[in-house]
């Protein structure tokens, strides 16, 4: 897709996020809206190798949503990519649905790893990417890539930094991490609760390639993703500057919208703004 098409796709995904969370009466709108443009650039920008008609295709790239509470953003993206019907989004969090509150790889096509407990996604991504390197060394060719989306509040979890150290030491250059840097978590601003800055300097000190991007500019995200996959000899992280609740005036940069569903009236206003 070109930039205009990517922007239009991101708008449709935002509307679906709000609709599905409203229908469910629960969910996480803030962090889902902040990573929408990131996922749009990744899934529709020609960066990642996947096949919606064959979700278990051998030789596909992998995506891990480490911040699993942003599942509505992933589900809407997967639906628009063709993994399942868009109408199914309205079943979010309902009894018997494949679209559980946090991603379940045993239930939903396109979900590679069960996530929800924060801090684990980057470690899992390291293991998968290292396995792909071993496969390539045995069979020839280039290893498949692993993309993992984490949040800045999630980086307060120590396991992430063990994974960061491990990935650089092992030269896992088929690993691309993306940081949804919106400076908000459930208790308030990350910088107030338990600041992680200077996060770029920290990853660079661990031996990662660090790439900055505007997380709400699909063209800039596409540029950053292409730069990241071209890195050799070390892992790469894209630090994407974002706004929690992006696109909805009364949700933007408000911790209160971390995990609260809008009313039907609020959803109508939000969708009109988007």
């Amino acid at each position: 897709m070109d930039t205009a098409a990517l922007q239009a796709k991101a708008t449709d995904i935002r509307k679906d996020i709000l609709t599905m969370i409203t229908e469910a009466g629960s969910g996480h709108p803030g962090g889902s809206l902040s990573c929408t443009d990131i996922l749009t650039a990744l899934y529709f920008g020609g960066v990642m190798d996947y096949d919606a008609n064959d979700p278990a295709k051998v030789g596909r790239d992998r995506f891990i949503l480490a911040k699993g509470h942003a599942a509505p953003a992933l589900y809407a993206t997967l639906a628009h990519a063709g993994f399942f019907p868009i109408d199914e989004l309205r079943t979010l969090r309902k009894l018997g649905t494949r679209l559980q509150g946090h991603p379940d790889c045993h239930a939903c096509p396109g979900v590679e790893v069960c996530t929800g407990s924060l801090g684990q996604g980057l470690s899992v991504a390291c293991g998968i990417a290292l396995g792909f390197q071993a496969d390539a060394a045995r069979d020839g060719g280039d290893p498949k890539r692993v993309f993992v989306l984490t949040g800045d509040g999630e980086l307060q979890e120590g396991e992430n930094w063990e994974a960061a150290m491990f990935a650089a030491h092992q030269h896992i250059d088929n690993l691309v991490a993306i940081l949804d840097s919106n400076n908000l978590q459930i208790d308030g601003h990350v910088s107030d609760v338990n600041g992680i800055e200077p996060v770029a300097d920290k990853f660079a000190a661990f031996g990662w390639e660090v790439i900055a991007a505007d997380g709400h500019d699909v063209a800039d995200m596409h540029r950053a993703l292409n730069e990241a996959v071209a890195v050799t000899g070390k892992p790469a992280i894209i630090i994407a500057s974002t706004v929690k609740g992006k696109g909805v005036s009364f949700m933007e940069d408000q911790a209160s919208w971390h995990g609260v569903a809008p009313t039907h009236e609020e959803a109508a206003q939000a969708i009109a703004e988007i």
Side-chain angles (χ1 to χ4, degrees):
M1 291 185 178
D2 61 18
T3 299
L6 288 171
Q7 290 172 338
K9 180 63 69 177
T11 296
D12 289 341
I13 289 173
R14 278 194 168 86
K15 291 177 180 178
D16 285 334
I17 288 169
L18 290 164
T19 298
M20 63 198 294
I21 293 176
T22 303
E23 288 286 330
S26 64
H28 296 79
S32 296
L33 293 172
S34 72
C35 67
T36 298
D37 302 298
I38 297 170
L39 293 178
T40 300
L42 178 62
Y43 274 84
F44 302 102
V47 178
M48 190 168 65
D49 181 10
Y50 67 89
D51 184 352
N53 294 314
D54 183 11
K57 182 185 76 171
V58 175
R60 70 191 183 280
D61 291 335
R62 303 292 200 275
F63 171 74
I64 299 171
L65 182 68
K67 45 174 281 181
H69 54 280
L74 177 58
Y75 295 151
T77 301
L78 292 174
H80 278 267
F83 283 88
F84 51 84
I86 291 176
D87 288 347
E88 192 173 339
L89 294 174
R90 292 179 177 270
T91 70
L92 174 71
R93 289 177 172 244
K94 294 181 179 178
L95 187 64
T97 184
R98 298 192 289 181
L99 311 183
Q100 299 183 21
H102 292 81
D104 182 354
C105 62
H106 304 292
C108 183
V111 174
E112 301 287 359
V113 176
C114 297
T115 56
S117 296
L118 295 178
Q120 300 175 3
L122 187 57
S123 293
V124 174
C126 285
I128 296 173
L130 192 61
F132 283 153
Q133 287 191 347
D135 290 343
R138 180 193 62 207
D139 302 329
D142 295 324
K144 302 307 294 182
R145 295 189 179 95
V146 181
F147 300 87
V148 55
L149 177 62
T150 184
D152 45 2
E154 184 178 11
L155 287 189
Q156 294 164 349
E157 304 278 356
E159 185 178 346
N160 289 296
W161 300 103
E162 296 178 43
M165 177 171 57
F166 177 84
H169 181 76
Q170 296 290 337
H171 306 289
I172 307 178
D173 57 5
N174 56 326
L175 171 64
V176 176
I178 308 164
L179 176 60
D180 182 6
S181 184
N182 60 35
N183 194 34
L184 267 184
Q185 58 191 103
I186 192 169
D187 293 324
H189 287 98
V190 173
S191 53
D192 294 329
V193 176
N194 189 18
I196 62 171
E197 294 297 340
V199 70
D201 292 342
K202 289 176 180 176
F203 272 96
F206 273 91
W208 287 57
E209 182 74 16
V210 179
I211 301 166
D214 181 341
H216 296 309
D217 182 330
V218 290
D220 197 42
M221 276 304 309
H222 189 256
R223 182 270 312 167
L225 286 163
N226 281 314
E227 284 187 21
V229 299
V231 171
T232 59
K234 57 183 175 180
I237 182 168
I238 299 169
I239 299 180
S241 298
T242 60
V243 176
K244 198 158 188 172
K246 177 65 176 179
V248 181
S249 61
F250 56 89
M251 290 186 182
E252 288 190 354
D253 198 38
Q254 299 296 316
S256 58
W257 284 101
H258 174 86
V260 176
T263 64
H264 287 281
E265 292 74 20
E266 289 170 332
Q269 178 185 339
I271 289 172
E273 290 185 10
I274 289 172

